[in-house]
Amino acid sequence: MSATAEAVRAFRERLGLPGLVDVHTHFMPERVLDKVWDYFDAVGPLTGVEWPITYRHEEEQRVGLLREFGVRAFTAMLYPHKPAMAAWLNAWSADFAARTPDCLHTATFFPEEGVNAYVRQAVESGARVFKSHLQVGGYDPNDDRLDPVWGLLAEAGLPIVIHCASGPVPGKHTGPEPIARLLARHPRLPLVIAHMGMPEYTDFLDLADRYAEVRLDTTMAFTDFSEQMHGFPPGDLGRLGDLGDRILLGTDFPNIPYPYEHQLAALERLGLGDDWLRAVCHDNGARLFRLDG
């Protein structure tokens, strides 16, 4: 067993967890993932910080690592950057979920003709979580073509992990304002704000206070890597405790520039207590996805 697996097992055993539920992991077609890794290889000029991929392995090995870490359920976060791509990604993801039972069947979408039909098809075929990436996709979540999609997902109660904040670099439609307008129209939309809304942490915590179905994932937040770029405001630490039932473990595996256990250590050193850690690292995700029936 690797040193990382040993460290993660020790973390789980100390908390008495049956496993971890990681809502923000990436699996996608090989040629798409290669392009994502090319982006991170070149991201230094954008952020001023190098971003080496720690788990640059073949798909089977990456799945094996998550299982070795004791991750009970994980996702296949994938996303289009142009039209006529999302339906193809959804077909790949449905197949991946069928052959990977511990992966939560993940789907995605893009504002384009036919989006409502292929999202409905994904829902009917058993999708359990959706991914929206406003930064990479470069689209406004309030695009009229997406309004039926948001309504469908709100009615179905299916979570959408949405990269909508401005880290690591801002996009045309990132930030809290477009999401505030979206939630004003769809207040029951079960959004999961990726990366804790980094760097607009406070604004996205405000939205979670206002809308009961809004959650946040921990992806890369509080780690040494992110703190040097976008530090979490110390004055908001108590709010993490108040929202402890709506914060979910996310890691960005495999696209992280540090070992997997560092995300867990970063959460532990917040000092919010073992009950909070149990909820964030397992119980909230298990409840959201009904892992225990």
Side-chain angles (χ1 to χ4, degrees):
M1 182 176 288
S2 68
T4 289
E6 290 281 8
V8 176
R9 183 176 70 174
F11 175 87
R12 291 188 289 106
E13 288 181 350
R14 188 183 71 74
L15 294 173
L17 294 178
L20 303 174
V21 179
D22 190 338
V23 304
H24 197 135
T25 63
H26 292 283
F27 289 90
M28 55 188 72
E30 183 178 355
R31 71 176 190 261
V32 178
L33 187 59
D34 284 344
K35 290 180 179 179
V36 171
W37 285 346
D38 287 344
Y39 169 82
F40 283 112
D41 288 343
V43 83
L46 291 175
T47 64
V49 179
E50 296 300 317
W51 196 311
I53 303 294
T54 300
Y55 298 102
R56 195 189 298 255
H57 305 305
E58 296 296 323
E59 179 185 288
E60 185 176 352
Q61 185 177 357
R62 283 181 276 120
V63 171
L65 282 170
L66 288 177
R67 290 170 177 165
E68 186 180 21
F69 298 162
V71 179
R72 179 184 180 193
F74 54 91
T75 57
M77 295 282 105
L78 71 182
Y79 42 83
H81 61 274
K82 60 183 180 180
M85 186 176 179
W88 169 69
L89 289 173
N90 288 350
W92 182 92
S93 186
D95 177 72
F96 179 74
R99 56 189 166 85
T100 315
D102 35 356
C103 178
L104 298 164
H105 180 178
T106 310
T108 189
F109 50 83
F110 193 85
E112 59 187 330
E113 184 178 351
V115 59
N116 196 45
Y118 69 67
V119 168
R120 184 174 295 279
Q121 180 182 15
V123 171
E124 291 174 352
S125 69
R128 301 175 72 182
V129 61
F130 279 75
K131 170 69 171 181
S132 170
H133 204 313
L134 304 185
Q135 185 186 63
V136 170
Y139 59 84
D140 185 345
N142 298 286
D143 188 303
D144 289 343
R145 291 169 293 186
L146 291 181
D147 214 49
V149 170
W150 299 124
L152 172 63
L153 297 178
E155 184 178 352
L158 286 173
I160 308 101
V161 176
I162 183 166
H163 187 134
C164 52
S166 300
V169 290
K172 184 177 180 180
H173 301 289
T174 59
E177 193 275 334
I179 300 303
R181 287 192 286 121
L182 175 63
L183 288 167
R185 294 198 323 279
H186 298 283
R188 295 187 300 110
L189 194 61
L191 295 182
V192 179
I193 308 299
H195 303 279
M196 295 293 300
M198 180 190 314
E200 296 108 341
Y201 298 104
T202 300
D203 294 320
F204 283 104
L205 288 169
D206 289 344
L207 289 174
D209 283 337
R210 196 177 313 157
Y211 296 99
E213 291 301 322
V214 170
R215 298 167 175 83
L216 306 101
D217 80 31
T218 67
T219 304
M220 296 192 72
F222 319 113
T223 63
D224 294 346
F225 181 84
S226 295
E227 285 291 296
Q228 66 180 324
M229 291 191 294
H230 304 299
F232 186 83
D236 282 335
L237 189 61
R239 302 179 72 184
L240 300 180
D242 296 338
L243 289 167
D245 62 339
R246 285 193 280 139
I247 298 175
L248 304 162
L249 174 66
T251 64
D252 236 353
F253 175 94
N255 305 331
I256 46 178
Y258 44 75
Y260 189 91
E261 73 267 23
H262 179 56
Q263 180 72 73
L264 305 177
L267 295 175
E268 189 163 23
R269 71 188 180 190
L270 294 174
L272 293 170
D274 288 354
D275 289 343
W276 186 86
L277 285 171
R278 289 187 193 98
V280 169
C281 294
H282 177 269
D283 296 349
N284 295 343
R287 183 173 62 252
L288 179 63
F289 296 107
R290 300 180 177 89
L291 299 183
D292 298 313

